[in-house]
Amino acid sequence: MRPWRSGPSDRRGYHHGNLKEALIEAARRFIAERGIGGFTLVDAARLVGVSPAALYRHFRGREALLEEVAERGFTELAARLARALRGPGTPLERFTRMGEAYLTFAEEEPGYYAAIFEARPLGPDGCAPAQGPRDRDAFGLLVEALRSTFPDGFLGSVDPRFVALEVWALSHGIATLAAAGRLPTGPGLPTKYDLLRAGVLAMVHGATARAPG
Amino acid sequence: MRPWRSGPSDRRGYHHGNLKEALIEAARRFIAERGIGGFTLVDAARLVGVSPAALYRHFRGREALLEEVAERGFTELAARLARALRGPGTPLERFTRMGEAYLTFAEEEPGYYAAIFEARPLGPDGCAPAQGPRDRDAFGLLVEALRSTFPDGFLGSVDPRFVALEVWALSHGIATLAAAGRLPTGPGLPTKYDLLRAGVLAMVHGATARAPG
DNA sequence: TGTACATCAGTGAACGCGCGTTCACTGATGTAC
DNA sequence: TGTACATCAGTGAACGCGCGTTCACTGATGTAC
């Protein structure tokens, strides 16, 4: 125990006290600024005020650190989405708010977002599988959200997984175009939130329109 | 003129004869395999069978080569989209086919696609502007396609630019998720073409549904 | 409370590597006479 | 047709750099007695 040294920014002396967290934080910031490819262990160590070798006390290497960032990012994203979904309002309103939370996360945490979609989680064999656990988690979360949000039969005969994929792809497209600064903006043009809202509405509407009830 | 040496693969002797094209081709392949960040001048030169220094006879440097690849890719993409749009069928069919052509391009030419969306075209000041000419071109192309494809009033009071953005974002999202191998697939799940078709339908339908006529 | 010691989180120097880029050069090409 | 020469596309060696990673080490911490 070193209670007088547990805060995030009290680096004094030989031992950092909070190095692992500090490194993850540094990585998150650098990835946000320069992308995954531009992220460097040496820079992260320098920012934190530590020799590059110190990193290896906490991570097996560069990949492991990136994977940890991705893991944290995904946890944070999932929490945000769940929170949005739990809010008040009609099912459609809550589902729409969840989409907005997705876009907001991508904007506020570009480092996390890039790490999530770039870093491939390592399988038990040490290699990146085609479909990692996070992929299934993310997709399952979305489908579950749809199922639990919309009452039985609300989507008619349309598979909720279909709508989920549709909305996810749209969200991801909007988020990445916006992050790259390639989403045209200007007077009379919709914001990314407008785009997502209308898109979700159209998708859900398209599904329910085909429903018998 | 060296007519006996103009083919793509007749490297013999001191002069390559077709080095610029060969380098662009090599870059396209390497980017497709390893992404922009994994692309290396040295590798490209080695693949073509030339010293790394030879590259500087044709390009100012790495960035210039990448920019050239992006430029070619964009030209090819635009040609494919225009071709799809000119085909037979109803406006909606042709517009849908254009979307499919977009997905096919992203799948068949991942190197081009990555270069287009990664490389920022350089402005007159040598810096990358927030909105490059290609961005405006791409978006303008899409809007023009919508305007010229759908008869006046078909989209009702909805701004074609709105629908264009929507469809573009969805296409981009589907294409990038699929390229990253993160689009869940399996029995009962839609293909990316299914996703795009249904999405476009929902968007256009959503627009026309709100239309007075 | 004081001391010896195991543990562990750091250091800093060094490594091998591959990168993008430069430079003086050289061999092939095409042209003027 | 033959020859001198300007042009240009290549060579290959070298550069400085920053990277990820390793290693023997050392200073601080926490604990057993």
PDB file of all heavy atoms in Angstrom, chain B residues 134-158:
ATOM      1  N   ARG B 134     -11.237  15.880 -54.235  1.00  0.00           N
ATOM      2  CA  ARG B 134     -11.846  14.563 -54.428  1.00  0.00           C
ATOM      3  C   ARG B 134     -13.106  14.406 -53.606  1.00  0.00           C
ATOM      4  O   ARG B 134     -14.062  13.754 -54.021  1.00  0.00           O
ATOM      5  CB  ARG B 134     -10.861  13.459 -54.084  1.00  0.00           C
ATOM      6  CG  ARG B 134      -9.988  13.045 -55.251  1.00  0.00           C
ATOM      7  CD  ARG B 134      -9.550  11.612 -55.109  1.00  0.00           C
ATOM      8  NE  ARG B 134      -8.974  11.348 -53.820  1.00  0.00           N
ATOM      9  CZ  ARG B 134      -7.725  11.570 -53.484  1.00  0.00           C
ATOM     10  NH1 ARG B 134      -6.900  12.070 -54.375  1.00  0.00           N
ATOM     11  NH2 ARG B 134      -7.283  11.316 -52.281  1.00  0.00           N
ATOM     12  N   ASP B 135     -13.116  14.974 -52.392  1.00  0.00           N
ATOM     13  CA  ASP B 135     -14.305  14.875 -51.565  1.00  0.00           C
ATOM     14  C   ASP B 135     -15.486  15.517 -52.265  1.00  0.00           C
ATOM     15  O   ASP B 135     -16.563  14.936 -52.367  1.00  0.00           O
ATOM     16  CB  ASP B 135     -14.076  15.562 -50.208  1.00  0.00           C
ATOM     17  CG  ASP B 135     -13.022  14.847 -49.397  1.00  0.00           C
ATOM     18  OD1 ASP B 135     -13.303  13.745 -48.927  1.00  0.00           O
ATOM     19  OD2 ASP B 135     -11.919  15.401 -49.258  1.00  0.00           O
ATOM     20  N   ARG B 136     -15.247  16.743 -52.750  1.00  0.00           N
ATOM     21  CA  ARG B 136     -16.334  17.437 -53.429  1.00  0.00           C
ATOM     22  C   ARG B 136     -16.738  16.678 -54.682  1.00  0.00           C
ATOM     23  O   ARG B 136     -17.908  16.514 -54.979  1.00  0.00           O
ATOM     24  CB  ARG B 136     -15.898  18.868 -53.766  1.00  0.00           C
ATOM     25  CG  ARG B 136     -16.087  19.830 -52.597  1.00  0.00           C
ATOM     26  CD  ARG B 136     -15.795  21.249 -53.010  1.00  0.00           C
ATOM     27  NE  ARG B 136     -14.380  21.455 -53.279  1.00  0.00           N
ATOM     28  CZ  ARG B 136     -13.493  21.741 -52.341  1.00  0.00           C
ATOM     29  NH1 ARG B 136     -13.881  21.856 -51.085  1.00  0.00           N
ATOM     30  NH2 ARG B 136     -12.238  21.921 -52.638  1.00  0.00           N
ATOM     31  N   ASP B 137     -15.729  16.195 -55.413  1.00  0.00           N
ATOM     32  CA  ASP B 137     -16.020  15.417 -56.612  1.00  0.00           C
ATOM     33  C   ASP B 137     -16.910  14.224 -56.291  1.00  0.00           C
ATOM     34  O   ASP B 137     -17.922  13.998 -56.947  1.00  0.00           O
ATOM     35  CB  ASP B 137     -14.713  14.896 -57.224  1.00  0.00           C
ATOM     36  CG  ASP B 137     -14.041  15.954 -58.082  1.00  0.00           C
ATOM     37  OD1 ASP B 137     -14.537  17.092 -58.097  1.00  0.00           O
ATOM     38  OD2 ASP B 137     -13.028  15.651 -58.716  1.00  0.00           O
ATOM     39  N   ALA B 138     -16.497  13.460 -55.291  1.00  0.00           N
ATOM     40  CA  ALA B 138     -17.214  12.232 -54.965  1.00  0.00           C
ATOM     41  C   ALA B 138     -18.649  12.539 -54.578  1.00  0.00           C
ATOM     42  O   ALA B 138     -19.595  11.923 -55.067  1.00  0.00           O
ATOM     43  CB  ALA B 138     -16.504  11.501 -53.826  1.00  0.00           C
ATOM     44  N   PHE B 139     -18.775  13.512 -53.705  1.00  0.00           N
ATOM     45  CA  PHE B 139     -20.106  13.855 -53.220  1.00  0.00           C
ATOM     46  C   PHE B 139     -20.958  14.425 -54.349  1.00  0.00           C
ATOM     47  O   PHE B 139     -22.124  14.057 -54.517  1.00  0.00           O
ATOM     48  CB  PHE B 139     -19.989  14.837 -52.067  1.00  0.00           C
ATOM     49  CG  PHE B 139     -21.295  15.190 -51.452  1.00  0.00           C
ATOM     50  CD1 PHE B 139     -22.162  14.203 -51.012  1.00  0.00           C
ATOM     51  CD2 PHE B 139     -21.673  16.517 -51.322  1.00  0.00           C
ATOM     52  CE1 PHE B 139     -23.383  14.534 -50.452  1.00  0.00           C
ATOM     53  CE2 PHE B 139     -22.878  16.849 -50.761  1.00  0.00           C
ATOM     54  CZ  PHE B 139     -23.739  15.853 -50.324  1.00  0.00           C
ATOM     55  N   GLY B 140     -20.331  15.303 -55.122  1.00  0.00           N
ATOM     56  CA  GLY B 140     -21.053  15.891 -56.244  1.00  0.00           C
ATOM     57  C   GLY B 140     -21.522  14.840 -57.234  1.00  0.00           C
ATOM     58  O   GLY B 140     -22.650  14.895 -57.746  1.00  0.00           O
ATOM     59  N   LEU B 141     -20.667  13.869 -57.478  1.00  0.00           N
ATOM     60  CA  LEU B 141     -21.018  12.768 -58.373  1.00  0.00           C
ATOM     61  C   LEU B 141     -22.269  12.061 -57.900  1.00  0.00           C
ATOM     62  O   LEU B 141     -23.182  11.757 -58.670  1.00  0.00           O
ATOM     63  CB  LEU B 141     -19.858  11.776 -58.419  1.00  0.00           C
ATOM     64  CG  LEU B 141     -19.935  10.634 -59.426  1.00  0.00           C
ATOM     65  CD1 LEU B 141     -19.343  11.082 -60.749  1.00  0.00           C
ATOM     66  CD2 LEU B 141     -19.212   9.405 -58.909  1.00  0.00           C
ATOM     67  N   LEU B 142     -22.294  11.803 -56.600  1.00  0.00           N
ATOM     68  CA  LEU B 142     -23.416  11.062 -56.022  1.00  0.00           C
ATOM     69  C   LEU B 142     -24.703  11.875 -56.102  1.00  0.00           C
ATOM     70  O   LEU B 142     -25.760  11.362 -56.492  1.00  0.00           O
ATOM     71  CB  LEU B 142     -23.074  10.726 -54.570  1.00  0.00           C
ATOM     72  CG  LEU B 142     -23.957   9.719 -53.850  1.00  0.00           C
ATOM     73  CD1 LEU B 142     -24.053   8.438 -54.648  1.00  0.00           C
ATOM     74  CD2 LEU B 142     -23.411   9.449 -52.464  1.00  0.00           C
ATOM     75  N   VAL B 143     -24.603  13.141 -55.753  1.00  0.00           N
ATOM     76  CA  VAL B 143     -25.788  13.998 -55.802  1.00  0.00           C
ATOM     77  C   VAL B 143     -26.291  14.105 -57.228  1.00  0.00           C
ATOM     78  O   VAL B 143     -27.500  13.991 -57.497  1.00  0.00           O
ATOM     79  CB  VAL B 143     -25.467  15.400 -55.233  1.00  0.00           C
ATOM     80  CG1 VAL B 143     -26.648  16.326 -55.443  1.00  0.00           C
ATOM     81  CG2 VAL B 143     -25.116  15.309 -53.761  1.00  0.00           C
ATOM     82  N   GLU B 144     -25.357  14.282 -58.145  1.00  0.00           N
ATOM     83  CA  GLU B 144     -25.732  14.397 -59.556  1.00  0.00           C
ATOM     84  C   GLU B 144     -26.434  13.126 -60.029  1.00  0.00           C
ATOM     85  O   GLU B 144     -27.431  13.171 -60.762  1.00  0.00           O
ATOM     86  CB  GLU B 144     -24.477  14.664 -60.403  1.00  0.00           C
ATOM     87  CG  GLU B 144     -24.744  15.475 -61.643  1.00  0.00           C
ATOM     88  CD  GLU B 144     -25.859  16.497 -61.436  1.00  0.00           C
ATOM     89  OE1 GLU B 144     -25.741  17.418 -60.605  1.00  0.00           O
ATOM     90  OE2 GLU B 144     -26.893  16.346 -62.121  1.00  0.00           O
ATOM     91  N   ALA B 145     -25.896  11.984 -59.555  1.00  0.00           N
ATOM     92  CA  ALA B 145     -26.505  10.700 -59.910  1.00  0.00           C
ATOM     93  C   ALA B 145     -27.950  10.653 -59.438  1.00  0.00           C
ATOM     94  O   ALA B 145     -28.849  10.252 -60.183  1.00  0.00           O
ATOM     95  CB  ALA B 145     -25.704   9.562 -59.288  1.00  0.00           C
ATOM     96  N   LEU B 146     -28.152  11.080 -58.215  1.00  0.00           N
ATOM     97  CA  LEU B 146     -29.513  11.073 -57.672  1.00  0.00           C
ATOM     98  C   LEU B 146     -30.426  11.989 -58.465  1.00  0.00           C
ATOM     99  O   LEU B 146     -31.528  11.621 -58.858  1.00  0.00           O
ATOM    100  CB  LEU B 146     -29.475  11.519 -56.217  1.00  0.00           C
ATOM    101  CG  LEU B 146     -29.437  10.406 -55.171  1.00  0.00           C
ATOM    102  CD1 LEU B 146     -29.194  10.985 -53.798  1.00  0.00           C
ATOM    103  CD2 LEU B 146     -30.743   9.625 -55.189  1.00  0.00           C
ATOM    104  N   ARG B 147     -29.936  13.206 -58.706  1.00  0.00           N
ATOM    105  CA  ARG B 147     -30.755  14.199 -59.416  1.00  0.00           C
ATOM    106  C   ARG B 147     -31.127  13.711 -60.800  1.00  0.00           C
ATOM    107  O   ARG B 147     -32.280  13.810 -61.227  1.00  0.00           O
ATOM    108  CB  ARG B 147     -29.940  15.502 -59.564  1.00  0.00           C
ATOM    109  CG  ARG B 147     -30.061  16.450 -58.397  1.00  0.00           C
ATOM    110  CD  ARG B 147     -29.661  17.856 -58.856  1.00  0.00           C
ATOM    111  NE  ARG B 147     -28.812  18.516 -57.875  1.00  0.00           N
ATOM    112  CZ  ARG B 147     -29.270  19.111 -56.781  1.00  0.00           C
ATOM    113  NH1 ARG B 147     -30.549  19.104 -56.508  1.00  0.00           N
ATOM    114  NH2 ARG B 147     -28.439  19.695 -55.942  1.00  0.00           N
ATOM    115  N   SER B 148     -30.122  13.193 -61.516  1.00  0.00           N
ATOM    116  CA  SER B 148     -30.374  12.824 -62.910  1.00  0.00           C
ATOM    117  C   SER B 148     -31.115  11.503 -63.021  1.00  0.00           C
ATOM    118  O   SER B 148     -31.736  11.219 -64.045  1.00  0.00           O
ATOM    119  CB  SER B 148     -29.049  12.739 -63.683  1.00  0.00           C
ATOM    120  OG  SER B 148     -28.319  11.623 -63.248  1.00  0.00           O
ATOM    121  N   THR B 149     -31.032  10.694 -61.982  1.00  0.00           N
ATOM    122  CA  THR B 149     -31.674   9.386 -62.049  1.00  0.00           C
ATOM    123  C   THR B 149     -33.145   9.468 -61.692  1.00  0.00           C
ATOM    124  O   THR B 149     -34.006   8.906 -62.382  1.00  0.00           O
ATOM    125  CB  THR B 149     -30.970   8.395 -61.105  1.00  0.00           C
ATOM    126  OG1 THR B 149     -29.590   8.328 -61.451  1.00  0.00           O
ATOM    127  CG2 THR B 149     -31.582   7.017 -61.228  1.00  0.00           C
ATOM    128  N   PHE B 150     -33.408  10.163 -60.628  1.00  0.00           N
ATOM    129  CA  PHE B 150     -34.800  10.246 -60.192  1.00  0.00           C
ATOM    130  C   PHE B 150     -35.467  11.462 -60.809  1.00  0.00           C
ATOM    131  O   PHE B 150     -34.914  12.565 -60.753  1.00  0.00           O
ATOM    132  CB  PHE B 150     -34.884  10.302 -58.674  1.00  0.00           C
ATOM    133  CG  PHE B 150     -34.460   9.012 -58.045  1.00  0.00           C
ATOM    134  CD1 PHE B 150     -33.229   8.885 -57.435  1.00  0.00           C
ATOM    135  CD2 PHE B 150     -35.301   7.907 -58.077  1.00  0.00           C
ATOM    136  CE1 PHE B 150     -32.833   7.683 -56.873  1.00  0.00           C
ATOM    137  CE2 PHE B 150     -34.908   6.706 -57.512  1.00  0.00           C
ATOM    138  CZ  PHE B 150     -33.674   6.585 -56.906  1.00  0.00           C
ATOM    139  N   PRO B 151     -36.627  11.248 -61.377  1.00  0.00           N
ATOM    140  CA  PRO B 151     -37.343  12.375 -62.012  1.00  0.00           C
ATOM    141  C   PRO B 151     -37.701  13.426 -60.967  1.00  0.00           C
ATOM    142  O   PRO B 151     -37.761  13.134 -59.777  1.00  0.00           O
ATOM    143  CB  PRO B 151     -38.599  11.709 -62.587  1.00  0.00           C
ATOM    144  CG  PRO B 151     -38.729  10.397 -61.864  1.00  0.00           C
ATOM    145  CD  PRO B 151     -37.356   9.982 -61.482  1.00  0.00           C
ATOM    146  N   ASP B 152     -37.916  14.590 -61.466  1.00  0.00           N
ATOM    147  CA  ASP B 152     -38.256  15.716 -60.581  1.00  0.00           C
ATOM    148  C   ASP B 152     -39.424  15.359 -59.665  1.00  0.00           C
ATOM    149  O   ASP B 152     -40.449  14.846 -60.103  1.00  0.00           O
ATOM    150  CB  ASP B 152     -38.635  16.943 -61.432  1.00  0.00           C
ATOM    151  CG  ASP B 152     -37.545  17.986 -61.350  1.00  0.00           C
ATOM    152  OD1 ASP B 152     -36.441  17.639 -60.865  1.00  0.00           O
ATOM    153  OD2 ASP B 152     -37.775  19.128 -61.791  1.00  0.00           O
ATOM    154  N   GLY B 153     -39.215  15.602 -58.411  1.00  0.00           N
ATOM    155  CA  GLY B 153     -40.314  15.380 -57.479  1.00  0.00           C
ATOM    156  C   GLY B 153     -40.409  13.962 -56.963  1.00  0.00           C
ATOM    157  O   GLY B 153     -41.179  13.690 -56.056  1.00  0.00           O
ATOM    158  N   PHE B 154     -39.601  13.076 -57.540  1.00  0.00           N
ATOM    159  CA  PHE B 154     -39.670  11.685 -57.098  1.00  0.00           C
ATOM    160  C   PHE B 154     -39.295  11.566 -55.623  1.00  0.00           C
ATOM    161  O   PHE B 154     -39.888  10.801 -54.875  1.00  0.00           O
ATOM    162  CB  PHE B 154     -38.737  10.823 -57.953  1.00  0.00           C
ATOM    163  CG  PHE B 154     -38.830   9.347 -57.655  1.00  0.00           C
ATOM    164  CD1 PHE B 154     -39.796   8.560 -58.284  1.00  0.00           C
ATOM    165  CD2 PHE B 154     -37.972   8.737 -56.752  1.00  0.00           C
ATOM    166  CE1 PHE B 154     -39.889   7.202 -58.014  1.00  0.00           C
ATOM    167  CE2 PHE B 154     -38.069   7.378 -56.474  1.00  0.00           C
ATOM    168  CZ  PHE B 154     -39.029   6.616 -57.112  1.00  0.00           C
ATOM    169  N   LEU B 155     -38.323  12.337 -55.234  1.00  0.00           N
ATOM    170  CA  LEU B 155     -37.913  12.314 -53.835  1.00  0.00           C
ATOM    171  C   LEU B 155     -38.738  13.285 -53.003  1.00  0.00           C
ATOM    172  O   LEU B 155     -38.444  13.516 -51.835  1.00  0.00           O
ATOM    173  CB  LEU B 155     -36.421  12.665 -53.713  1.00  0.00           C
ATOM    174  CG  LEU B 155     -35.445  11.647 -54.317  1.00  0.00           C
ATOM    175  CD1 LEU B 155     -34.019  12.135 -54.150  1.00  0.00           C
ATOM    176  CD2 LEU B 155     -35.632  10.287 -53.678  1.00  0.00           C
ATOM    177  N   GLY B 156     -39.746  13.866 -53.632  1.00  0.00           N
ATOM    178  CA  GLY B 156     -40.596  14.794 -52.910  1.00  0.00           C
ATOM    179  C   GLY B 156     -39.821  16.025 -52.502  1.00  0.00           C
ATOM    180  O   GLY B 156     -38.983  16.538 -53.243  1.00  0.00           O
ATOM    181  N   SER B 157     -40.080  16.481 -51.324  1.00  0.00           N
ATOM    182  CA  SER B 157     -39.445  17.714 -50.859  1.00  0.00           C
ATOM    183  C   SER B 157     -38.085  17.429 -50.214  1.00  0.00           C
ATOM    184  O   SER B 157     -37.439  18.329 -49.691  1.00  0.00           O
ATOM    185  CB  SER B 157     -40.355  18.401 -49.840  1.00  0.00           C
ATOM    186  OG  SER B 157     -40.601  17.530 -48.763  1.00  0.00           O
ATOM    187  N   VAL B 158     -37.668  16.170 -50.245  1.00  0.00           N
ATOM    188  CA  VAL B 158     -36.418  15.814 -49.581  1.00  0.00           C
ATOM    189  C   VAL B 158     -35.224  16.210 -50.434  1.00  0.00           C
ATOM    190  O   VAL B 158     -35.188  15.950 -51.641  1.00  0.00           O
ATOM    191  CB  VAL B 158     -36.381  14.297 -49.288  1.00  0.00           C
ATOM    192  CG1 VAL B 158     -35.042  13.916 -48.682  1.00  0.00           C
ATOM    193  CG2 VAL B 158     -37.519  13.913 -48.354  1.00  0.00           C
TER     194      VAL B 158
END
